[in-house]
Amino acid sequence: MRKLPLAAFFVVCCVSFSLARTLEHNPVDGLTAFSQNQTQQPNRSRSLKGRVVDARTGEPVAKVKIIVAGLSAQQSTTTDESGAFTFQNIPPGEVDLFITTVGYGLVKKKILIKEDENGEVEIALNQEAATLTEQVTVTAGPYEEIETNAASVQTLNKTELQELSKVIIGDPLRAAQALPSVAANDDFRSEFAVRGAAFNRVGVFIDGVLTDNFAHTVQGGFPDSGSLSVINADAISAVSLFSGAFPAKFGDRTAAVLSLETREGNRLKPAGRIAASLSSVSGVADGPFAGGRGSYLFAARKSYVGYVLRRINDANDIDNNFIFDFADVQSKAIYDLSSRHQLGFSVIFGDSQYDRNRARDEIGINSVLQGDSRNLLVNAHWNYTPGARLFAQTRVFGLRTDFTNTNRDELILDDGQRTQFGVRHDINYLARPSHRIEAGLYVRSIRAERFDERFDFFQSERDVLTFNARTTEQGYYVQDTYTNERFGLSLTGGGRIEHSGLTGETLFSPRAALGLAPGSDWRIRAAFGRYYQFPDFEASFGRLGSPNLRAERATHYNASIERTLGSRTRVLAEVYDREDANLLFSLSEPRVEAGRITFTEFPFRNALRGHARGIELTLQRRSANNLTGWISYSYSKTRLRDEQSNLSFVSDFDQRHGVNAYASYRFTETFNLSGQWRYGSGLPIPGFLQRIGLDLFLASERNLVRVPAYNRIDVRANKAFLFKKWKLTLSGEVLNVLNRENLRYAGFDGYGSRGRVFGNLDKLLPILPSAGVAIEF
C-alpha cells in the first residue's frame, strides 16, 4: 500500500505525456496551421500587424502564440523579441484572434479587417485575468511602489505567486515564504517569521482588513499540526511584505505587515479556470455585469490530501496517518454606480477538519484526536473619486473564527469563538503637485469566548478555564509626503494614534521616511517608526493570562540603497535595527535552577527587551521575457533579556543566515521551467536545553540548542496547449528534489528525573513529486 501513491504519480505522468503527444499532433490544436488548401483572392487580401505587451508594465512580450481564425483562413505565429507579429494574406471580414503564452491569461478578440486598409492592433496580456485594449497605458514599472514612500517592501506579482504557491499547496502565504527577510523552516505550516519575530507579530491584511488566526489549522496552539491559508491563490492579484518601518496606515503589529489584495473579475467577457492536482481541485469563474459597469468573481477549493499525507508518513516510517481536509469559497463583486462612485462586496469562508487517525489508546487524554475550525470574512466597500486629486474609500467588515477540539473520549478540550466587526476609512488627497496627504481611521469591536478543559491521568479531576471578553480598538493616522522630482527627493512625516479598551492605553506612534534618487540608476531610502501591539484575549485571560498587561512596543530603523542595472534588474542592500520593549513572556518551561530541576508556571508579563539587527542583500530581475526571479541573502542577530529574572537569550526565531532564491524561464511560448531554493541556518529549540553527547538535557540557560539547518529545492515545469476557445496547462513538480532530511521542533514527549529529554524532532517533507492540470476558458 505504501507504493500506491508513487505508482499513481507515474500513471498520471504517463497519461499527461500521452495527452501532450496527442495534443501536439492533433489537427484540431490551434498551435498548428489550418486549412492549407482553401482558396483565397490575393487581390483582396490584407495584412494584420500587432504588438503584445505586459498590461502592467508595458514591456513587449516575446514568444506569445497568436492564432487568427476567419471564414476562409486560419494561421498562427509567434511574437518576436519586440513583441511584434504580422499575418499576411488575411481576407477582409471579421476574424477571431486568440493570444496567449505560458504564465499569462488567454485573450480572445474579434477584429474587423476592412477591404481598403490593413489591420493593426495592440494587445495587453494580464497575468491575473486576460484583458485587451487598443491602447496600452503603462500603470507600473517592474518594481512599482505599493505604498507612498515605503522604506522596506517586497512584492509578488501574479505569475510569481502562482509559481511559488505550487501545485500541491496553492497557498499565497507559502508563496510569501520565498521573499527576502522571511524565515520559514516548517513545510507543514504557512506561518513564517520576519527578522527574528514570530508570525503573531506580523499583521496579515486582506483588502485592508487585519485578520487574526485566519487559517485552516488546529486552533488553540498545537505545534505538531499544520496550517494552510484560507485564501485561494487564484483569487489574489498581489502580495506585499513590509518587513520594517511600514507606513502609518498599518497598525497593531510590531514586526511586519503582509498585505494581500484580492483581484476583481474580468470586465470584458466571462472566463473561468479549473485546476486539479494530486491533492486538491479548485476553480475560478469571473466576468462582467451588464453594460461593463462592474464584475463578479467566484472561487472555490476542495482538498483530498490523503496521498500527500500518506507519502510523507510512509517516508518517515509512521504507521498511523493523520488526516487534514479543507474546503473554502471566495466571492467578490464590483459595481460602478457612476464615474465617481463604486461599490464592492466580498466573502471568504473556509472549513477544515483534523483527524489524528490513530488508535484512541495510543494518545494521551489531553491530546487532540479530532478538531474542526471555520473562518468567515465579509467585507464591503465604497470608493469615492470626485477627481484626479482625491480618492476616498470606506470599508465595513466582519470576521468570525470558531473551533472545537475533542480528545480520545470525545470530550471537548477546546471550544472557542472570536468575532469582530469594524469600519475602515482612508483618504488620499493630492493637495499640491508636491504634497500628498493620506489619512484614515480603523475601528473594530472584538469579542472572544473560550472553553478550555484538561484532565488528569485517571480523569478524576478536571481543570476548566472559561472566559468571555469584549473590547474596542481604535486607530487614527495621518501622513504628508513632499516630493521634489527635480532633486529626486521624497519626505514623509506622520503618525498614528491607537487606543485599546482592554488595556486602557492611548498611544502615539511617530513615523518618517526619506527617499532620494541622486541619479536615474540609484535610490536611497531611510525610515523610522514606532509601533505598538495590544495583548490578545488569550494572554490576558487564558491559562497563563494576566489582566494587567500593556501593549508591546517596537522601534524600527531602516536604511537601504538600490542600484538598477538596465530597466529590469536591480541590486538592493538594506540594513535594519528593531528595538523591542515590553514583549510578552511567560517563564513556564522546565529548567535547571540552582542545580535543581524546577517547573513553575508564571503568568505572562511585559518582561522582554531586546533587539533584532541585520543586513539583507538582493539581486532581482523581473521581466515578461526569458529569466525572471531573485536571490537574496540575509544575516540577522537577535537578543532578548527578561528584566525580572535577568535571563538573556536569542529569540525563538533567531535565524542567523538565510538564502531565498526563485527563478523562472520561459523557453518557448508553451513551456516554462521554474524553481526555488530556501536555506536557513537552524532555529533555536525553544526552552532550557543543552546537548550532552547525542542526548538533550534540561539546562539553566535558554535557547542554546538549535534545529539542524533547513535546505530545500523545488522545481516545476509547465506545458501549455492553446485551442480555439480554451487553454490547457499541464504542470509537474518535485518538492525537495535533493531529498534533504529537514527537521522541525513540535514538542517533546517528556522529561526524566535527571532532566533527560524524551522525544525527537519531526521530519519534514521528503522528495515529493506531483502533477496537475489547469483549464482556462
Side-chain angles (χ1 to χ4, degrees), residues 168-171 215-217 227-232 279-282 300-305 323-329 349-354 373:
I168 287 182
I169 303 298
D171 185 350
H216 294 301
T217 188
S227 63
L228 181 74
S229 171
V230 177
I231 310 169
N232 190 338
S279 63
S280 64
V281 61
S282 64
R301 294 186 303 177
K302 180 67 177 72
S303 72
Y304 41 88
V305 295
I323 303 299
F324 184 78
D325 280 313
F326 70 90
D328 49 54
V329 294
F349 174 76
D351 179 84
S352 59
Q353 299 85 35
Y354 171 85
S373 66

mmCIF file of all heavy atoms in Angstrom, residues 168-171 215-217 227-232 279-282 300-305 323-329 349-354 373:
data_model
loop_
_atom_site.group_PDB
_atom_site.id
_atom_site.type_symbol
_atom_site.label_atom_id
_atom_site.label_comp_id
_atom_site.label_asym_id
_atom_site.label_seq_id
_atom_site.Cartn_x
_atom_site.Cartn_y
_atom_site.Cartn_z
ATOM 1 N N ILE A 168 0.739 21.449 -5.247
ATOM 2 C CA ILE A 168 0.223 20.708 -4.092
ATOM 3 C C ILE A 168 -0.489 21.632 -3.114
ATOM 4 O O ILE A 168 -1.536 21.310 -2.575
ATOM 5 C CB ILE A 168 1.380 19.972 -3.387
ATOM 6 C CG1 ILE A 168 1.805 18.781 -4.234
ATOM 7 C CG2 ILE A 168 0.971 19.492 -2.008
ATOM 8 C CD1 ILE A 168 2.909 17.964 -3.612
ATOM 9 N N ILE A 169 0.061 22.824 -2.882
ATOM 10 C CA ILE A 169 -0.416 23.657 -1.783
ATOM 11 C C ILE A 169 -1.407 24.718 -2.256
ATOM 12 O O ILE A 169 -2.521 24.798 -1.777
ATOM 13 C CB ILE A 169 0.771 24.324 -1.062
ATOM 14 C CG1 ILE A 169 1.740 23.235 -0.565
ATOM 15 C CG2 ILE A 169 0.278 25.171 0.083
ATOM 16 C CD1 ILE A 169 1.142 22.287 0.432
ATOM 17 N N GLY A 170 -1.014 25.551 -3.213
ATOM 18 C CA GLY A 170 -1.878 26.635 -3.670
ATOM 19 C C GLY A 170 -2.149 27.659 -2.592
ATOM 20 O O GLY A 170 -3.273 28.108 -2.414
ATOM 21 N N ASP A 171 -1.110 28.054 -1.845
ATOM 22 C CA ASP A 171 -1.265 28.900 -0.669
ATOM 23 C C ASP A 171 -0.463 30.188 -0.856
ATOM 24 O O ASP A 171 0.765 30.142 -0.966
ATOM 25 C CB ASP A 171 -0.759 28.140 0.561
ATOM 26 C CG ASP A 171 -0.997 28.889 1.860
ATOM 27 O OD1 ASP A 171 -1.381 30.061 1.813
ATOM 28 O OD2 ASP A 171 -0.785 28.283 2.928
ATOM 29 N N ALA A 215 -6.873 30.920 9.231
ATOM 30 C CA ALA A 215 -6.178 29.829 8.556
ATOM 31 C C ALA A 215 -6.893 28.518 8.799
ATOM 32 O O ALA A 215 -7.614 28.341 9.782
ATOM 33 C CB ALA A 215 -4.732 29.730 9.050
ATOM 34 N N HIS A 216 -6.677 27.583 7.862
ATOM 35 C CA HIS A 216 -7.070 26.194 8.086
ATOM 36 C C HIS A 216 -6.028 25.576 9.016
ATOM 37 O O HIS A 216 -4.877 25.350 8.627
ATOM 38 C CB HIS A 216 -7.091 25.419 6.768
ATOM 39 C CG HIS A 216 -8.127 25.872 5.791
ATOM 40 N ND1 HIS A 216 -9.467 25.861 6.081
ATOM 41 C CD2 HIS A 216 -8.023 26.345 4.520
ATOM 42 C CE1 HIS A 216 -10.150 26.297 5.026
ATOM 43 N NE2 HIS A 216 -9.300 26.606 4.083
ATOM 44 N N THR A 217 -6.406 25.285 10.248
ATOM 45 C CA THR A 217 -5.453 24.737 11.202
ATOM 46 C C THR A 217 -6.196 24.181 12.410
ATOM 47 O O THR A 217 -7.419 24.339 12.525
ATOM 48 C CB THR A 217 -4.447 25.826 11.658
ATOM 49 O OG1 THR A 217 -3.414 25.221 12.442
ATOM 50 C CG2 THR A 217 -5.140 26.903 12.468
ATOM 51 N N SER A 227 -0.886 24.007 8.987
ATOM 52 C CA SER A 227 -1.770 25.135 8.696
ATOM 53 C C SER A 227 -1.697 25.475 7.218
ATOM 54 O O SER A 227 -0.717 25.175 6.532
ATOM 55 C CB SER A 227 -1.394 26.362 9.538
ATOM 56 O OG SER A 227 -0.088 26.806 9.228
ATOM 57 N N LEU A 228 -2.751 26.130 6.739
ATOM 58 C CA LEU A 228 -2.884 26.498 5.336
ATOM 59 C C LEU A 228 -3.772 27.725 5.253
ATOM 60 O O LEU A 228 -4.759 27.844 5.971
ATOM 61 C CB LEU A 228 -3.503 25.344 4.540
ATOM 62 C CG LEU A 228 -3.699 25.523 3.046
ATOM 63 C CD1 LEU A 228 -2.365 25.437 2.331
ATOM 64 C CD2 LEU A 228 -4.658 24.469 2.502
ATOM 65 N N SER A 229 -3.422 28.640 4.387
ATOM 66 C CA SER A 229 -4.217 29.853 4.236
ATOM 67 C C SER A 229 -5.627 29.526 3.750
ATOM 68 O O SER A 229 -5.830 28.606 2.943
ATOM 69 C CB SER A 229 -3.545 30.805 3.251
ATOM 70 O OG SER A 229 -4.391 31.890 2.942
ATOM 71 N N VAL A 230 -6.610 30.292 4.223
ATOM 72 C CA VAL A 230 -7.997 30.122 3.780
ATOM 73 C C VAL A 230 -8.198 30.679 2.374
ATOM 74 O O VAL A 230 -9.164 30.344 1.703
ATOM 75 C CB VAL A 230 -8.955 30.812 4.781
ATOM 76 C CG1 VAL A 230 -10.400 30.724 4.323
ATOM 77 C CG2 VAL A 230 -8.819 30.173 6.152
ATOM 78 N N ILE A 231 -7.278 31.489 1.896
ATOM 79 C CA ILE A 231 -7.459 32.224 0.650
ATOM 80 C C ILE A 231 -6.919 31.425 -0.528
ATOM 81 O O ILE A 231 -5.798 30.903 -0.489
ATOM 82 C CB ILE A 231 -6.761 33.589 0.712
ATOM 83 C CG1 ILE A 231 -7.170 34.320 1.982
ATOM 84 C CG2 ILE A 231 -7.078 34.426 -0.497
ATOM 85 C CD1 ILE A 231 -6.354 35.536 2.257
ATOM 86 N N ASN A 232 -7.704 31.339 -1.584
ATOM 87 C CA ASN A 232 -7.311 30.696 -2.827
ATOM 88 C C ASN A 232 -6.333 31.594 -3.574
ATOM 89 O O ASN A 232 -6.616 32.766 -3.836
ATOM 90 C CB ASN A 232 -8.557 30.442 -3.672
ATOM 91 C CG ASN A 232 -8.278 29.567 -4.873
ATOM 92 O OD1 ASN A 232 -7.147 29.456 -5.343
ATOM 93 N ND2 ASN A 232 -9.324 28.939 -5.392
ATOM 94 N N SER A 279 -3.702 16.533 -4.869
ATOM 95 C CA SER A 279 -4.163 16.807 -3.512
ATOM 96 C C SER A 279 -5.442 17.606 -3.436
ATOM 97 O O SER A 279 -6.106 17.604 -2.415
ATOM 98 C CB SER A 279 -3.070 17.551 -2.721
ATOM 99 O OG SER A 279 -2.811 18.805 -3.321
ATOM 100 N N SER A 280 -5.811 18.341 -4.505
ATOM 101 C CA SER A 280 -6.982 19.209 -4.403
ATOM 102 C C SER A 280 -7.492 19.563 -5.784
ATOM 103 O O SER A 280 -6.824 19.339 -6.801
ATOM 104 C CB SER A 280 -6.637 20.497 -3.631
ATOM 105 O OG SER A 280 -5.677 21.256 -4.337
ATOM 106 N N VAL A 281 -8.687 20.135 -5.796
ATOM 107 C CA VAL A 281 -9.271 20.668 -7.014
ATOM 108 C C VAL A 281 -9.762 22.077 -6.708
ATOM 109 O O VAL A 281 -10.231 22.358 -5.597
ATOM 110 C CB VAL A 281 -10.436 19.778 -7.520
ATOM 111 C CG1 VAL A 281 -11.550 19.694 -6.491
ATOM 112 C CG2 VAL A 281 -10.962 20.285 -8.851
ATOM 113 N N SER A 282 -9.612 22.992 -7.659
ATOM 114 C CA SER A 282 -10.021 24.373 -7.453
ATOM 115 C C SER A 282 -10.587 24.933 -8.746
ATOM 116 O O SER A 282 -10.330 24.398 -9.834
ATOM 117 C CB SER A 282 -8.839 25.244 -6.989
ATOM 118 O OG SER A 282 -7.838 25.306 -7.989
ATOM 119 N N ALA A 300 -13.370 28.574 -5.556
ATOM 120 C CA ALA A 300 -13.591 27.522 -4.560
ATOM 121 C C ALA A 300 -12.467 26.496 -4.644
ATOM 122 O O ALA A 300 -11.867 26.289 -5.712
ATOM 123 C CB ALA A 300 -14.948 26.851 -4.768
ATOM 124 N N ARG A 301 -12.185 25.846 -3.492
ATOM 125 C CA ARG A 301 -11.186 24.772 -3.426
ATOM 126 C C ARG A 301 -11.710 23.637 -2.553
ATOM 127 O O ARG A 301 -12.462 23.866 -1.614
ATOM 128 C CB ARG A 301 -9.868 25.264 -2.822
ATOM 129 C CG ARG A 301 -9.109 26.278 -3.601
ATOM 130 C CD ARG A 301 -7.763 26.564 -2.946
ATOM 131 N NE ARG A 301 -7.891 27.015 -1.575
ATOM 132 C CZ ARG A 301 -6.860 27.268 -0.772
ATOM 133 N NH1 ARG A 301 -5.629 27.075 -1.207
ATOM 134 N NH2 ARG A 301 -7.050 27.691 0.472
ATOM 135 N N LYS A 302 -11.271 22.436 -2.874
ATOM 136 C CA LYS A 302 -11.574 21.268 -2.037
ATOM 137 C C LYS A 302 -10.366 20.337 -2.066
ATOM 138 O O LYS A 302 -9.835 20.041 -3.130
ATOM 139 C CB LYS A 302 -12.814 20.524 -2.552
ATOM 140 C CG LYS A 302 -13.170 19.284 -1.717
ATOM 141 C CD LYS A 302 -13.621 19.666 -0.325
ATOM 142 C CE LYS A 302 -14.053 18.455 0.502
ATOM 143 N NZ LYS A 302 -12.886 17.643 0.900
ATOM 144 N N SER A 303 -9.938 19.902 -0.887
ATOM 145 C CA SER A 303 -8.741 19.065 -0.812
ATOM 146 C C SER A 303 -9.100 17.592 -0.782
ATOM 147 O O SER A 303 -10.179 17.197 -0.359
ATOM 148 C CB SER A 303 -7.935 19.416 0.439
ATOM 149 O OG SER A 303 -8.606 18.952 1.600
ATOM 150 N N TYR A 304 -8.158 16.793 -1.245
ATOM 151 C CA TYR A 304 -8.152 15.352 -0.998
ATOM 152 C C TYR A 304 -6.674 14.984 -0.791
ATOM 153 O O TYR A 304 -6.011 14.397 -1.636
ATOM 154 C CB TYR A 304 -8.787 14.570 -2.147
ATOM 155 C CG TYR A 304 -8.452 15.037 -3.535
ATOM 156 C CD1 TYR A 304 -7.334 14.552 -4.200
ATOM 157 C CD2 TYR A 304 -9.247 15.968 -4.181
ATOM 158 C CE1 TYR A 304 -7.023 14.973 -5.474
ATOM 159 C CE2 TYR A 304 -8.945 16.396 -5.464
ATOM 160 C CZ TYR A 304 -7.832 15.895 -6.113
ATOM 161 O OH TYR A 304 -7.514 16.318 -7.386
ATOM 162 N N VAL A 305 -6.194 15.371 0.371
ATOM 163 C CA VAL A 305 -4.756 15.345 0.634
ATOM 164 C C VAL A 305 -4.270 13.999 1.188
ATOM 165 O O VAL A 305 -3.155 13.910 1.682
ATOM 166 C CB VAL A 305 -4.378 16.470 1.632
ATOM 167 C CG1 VAL A 305 -4.617 17.817 1.031
ATOM 168 C CG2 VAL A 305 -5.156 16.305 2.936
ATOM 169 N N ILE A 323 -5.180 12.892 9.171
ATOM 170 C CA ILE A 323 -5.901 13.394 8.003
ATOM 171 C C ILE A 323 -6.270 14.846 8.245
ATOM 172 O O ILE A 323 -6.795 15.202 9.304
ATOM 173 C CB ILE A 323 -7.180 12.579 7.735
ATOM 174 C CG1 ILE A 323 -6.823 11.102 7.553
ATOM 175 C CG2 ILE A 323 -7.904 13.113 6.511
ATOM 176 C CD1 ILE A 323 -5.893 10.827 6.394
ATOM 177 N N PHE A 324 -5.991 15.699 7.247
ATOM 178 C CA PHE A 324 -6.335 17.108 7.338
ATOM 179 C C PHE A 324 -6.991 17.499 6.025
ATOM 180 O O PHE A 324 -6.348 17.484 4.972
ATOM 181 C CB PHE A 324 -5.085 17.956 7.592
ATOM 182 C CG PHE A 324 -5.378 19.425 7.785
ATOM 183 C CD1 PHE A 324 -5.863 19.891 8.993
ATOM 184 C CD2 PHE A 324 -5.168 20.330 6.764
ATOM 185 C CE1 PHE A 324 -6.135 21.235 9.178
ATOM 186 C CE2 PHE A 324 -5.430 21.673 6.931
ATOM 187 C CZ PHE A 324 -5.919 22.134 8.144
ATOM 188 N N ASP A 325 -8.260 17.813 6.076
ATOM 189 C CA ASP A 325 -9.019 18.179 4.883
ATOM 190 C C ASP A 325 -9.596 19.573 5.049
ATOM 191 O O ASP A 325 -9.882 20.014 6.176
ATOM 192 C CB ASP A 325 -10.151 17.187 4.621
ATOM 193 C CG ASP A 325 -9.663 15.923 3.954
ATOM 194 O OD1 ASP A 325 -8.892 16.027 2.985
ATOM 195 O OD2 ASP A 325 -10.048 14.832 4.409
ATOM 196 N N PHE A 326 -9.793 20.251 3.927
ATOM 197 C CA PHE A 326 -10.329 21.604 3.981
ATOM 198 C C PHE A 326 -11.145 21.889 2.730
ATOM 199 O O PHE A 326 -11.018 21.218 1.693
ATOM 200 C CB PHE A 326 -9.198 22.637 4.102
ATOM 201 C CG PHE A 326 -8.371 22.770 2.844
ATOM 202 C CD1 PHE A 326 -8.711 23.674 1.845
ATOM 203 C CD2 PHE A 326 -7.243 21.991 2.656
ATOM 204 C CE1 PHE A 326 -7.956 23.795 0.702
ATOM 205 C CE2 PHE A 326 -6.478 22.104 1.512
ATOM 206 C CZ PHE A 326 -6.836 23.008 0.520
ATOM 207 N N ALA A 327 -11.970 22.908 2.833
ATOM 208 C CA ALA A 327 -12.710 23.458 1.701
ATOM 209 C C ALA A 327 -12.905 24.941 1.970
ATOM 210 O O ALA A 327 -13.083 25.353 3.125
ATOM 211 C CB ALA A 327 -14.059 22.763 1.526
ATOM 212 N N ASP A 328 -12.846 25.749 0.926
ATOM 213 C CA ASP A 328 -13.098 27.177 1.087
ATOM 214 C C ASP A 328 -13.686 27.757 -0.183
ATOM 215 O O ASP A 328 -13.514 27.219 -1.280
ATOM 216 C CB ASP A 328 -11.826 27.946 1.498
ATOM 217 C CG ASP A 328 -10.619 27.624 0.637
ATOM 218 O OD1 ASP A 328 -10.720 27.748 -0.585
ATOM 219 O OD2 ASP A 328 -9.568 27.261 1.194
ATOM 220 N N VAL A 329 -14.426 28.836 -0.019
ATOM 221 C CA VAL A 329 -15.046 29.543 -1.133
ATOM 222 C C VAL A 329 -14.772 31.032 -0.975
ATOM 223 O O VAL A 329 -14.590 31.533 0.142
ATOM 224 C CB VAL A 329 -16.570 29.291 -1.214
ATOM 225 C CG1 VAL A 329 -16.861 27.844 -1.531
ATOM 226 C CG2 VAL A 329 -17.253 29.703 0.078
ATOM 227 N N PHE A 349 -14.965 32.221 3.012
ATOM 228 C CA PHE A 349 -15.357 31.255 4.032
ATOM 229 C C PHE A 349 -14.513 30.003 3.873
ATOM 230 O O PHE A 349 -14.286 29.526 2.753
ATOM 231 C CB PHE A 349 -16.840 30.890 3.916
ATOM 232 C CG PHE A 349 -17.252 29.780 4.863
ATOM 233 C CD1 PHE A 349 -17.437 30.043 6.212
ATOM 234 C CD2 PHE A 349 -17.415 28.474 4.406
ATOM 235 C CE1 PHE A 349 -17.803 29.022 7.090
ATOM 236 C CE2 PHE A 349 -17.778 27.461 5.275
ATOM 237 C CZ PHE A 349 -17.969 27.744 6.626
ATOM 238 N N GLY A 350 -14.052 29.461 4.990
ATOM 239 C CA GLY A 350 -13.278 28.234 4.958
ATOM 240 C C GLY A 350 -13.637 27.305 6.095
ATOM 241 O O GLY A 350 -13.995 27.740 7.193
ATOM 242 N N ASP A 351 -13.543 26.011 5.844
ATOM 243 C CA ASP A 351 -13.855 24.985 6.843
ATOM 244 C C ASP A 351 -12.781 23.899 6.753
ATOM 245 O O ASP A 351 -12.383 23.499 5.645
ATOM 246 C CB ASP A 351 -15.234 24.387 6.579
ATOM 247 C CG ASP A 351 -15.572 23.290 7.579
ATOM 248 O OD1 ASP A 351 -16.046 23.621 8.675
ATOM 249 O OD2 ASP A 351 -15.342 22.113 7.252
ATOM 250 N N SER A 352 -12.291 23.445 7.900
ATOM 251 C CA SER A 352 -11.263 22.401 7.899
ATOM 252 C C SER A 352 -11.535 21.403 9.007
ATOM 253 O O SER A 352 -12.115 21.742 10.040
ATOM 254 C CB SER A 352 -9.871 23.016 8.070
ATOM 255 O OG SER A 352 -9.778 23.737 9.286
ATOM 256 N N GLN A 353 -11.099 20.156 8.776
ATOM 257 C CA GLN A 353 -11.257 19.075 9.745
ATOM 258 C C GLN A 353 -9.925 18.359 9.919
ATOM 259 O O GLN A 353 -9.218 18.090 8.940
ATOM 260 C CB GLN A 353 -12.320 18.067 9.301
ATOM 261 C CG GLN A 353 -13.711 18.644 9.141
ATOM 262 C CD GLN A 353 -13.919 19.266 7.791
ATOM 263 O OE1 GLN A 353 -13.390 18.790 6.785
ATOM 264 N NE2 GLN A 353 -14.682 20.351 7.737
ATOM 265 N N TYR A 354 -9.619 18.056 11.175
ATOM 266 C CA TYR A 354 -8.387 17.344 11.519
ATOM 267 C C TYR A 354 -8.752 16.057 12.246
ATOM 268 O O TYR A 354 -9.577 16.065 13.159
ATOM 269 C CB TYR A 354 -7.519 18.231 12.418
ATOM 270 C CG TYR A 354 -6.317 17.534 13.019
ATOM 271 C CD1 TYR A 354 -5.132 17.434 12.315
ATOM 272 C CD2 TYR A 354 -6.381 16.998 14.296
ATOM 273 C CE1 TYR A 354 -4.026 16.811 12.870
ATOM 274 C CE2 TYR A 354 -5.287 16.375 14.868
ATOM 275 C CZ TYR A 354 -4.102 16.283 14.149
ATOM 276 O OH TYR A 354 -3.013 15.664 14.706
ATOM 277 N N SER A 373 -12.422 23.672 12.444
ATOM 278 C CA SER A 373 -12.427 25.125 12.569
ATOM 279 C C SER A 373 -13.091 25.732 11.341
ATOM 280 O O SER A 373 -13.082 25.140 10.255
ATOM 281 C CB SER A 373 -11.002 25.673 12.712
ATOM 282 O OG SER A 373 -10.259 25.464 11.528
#
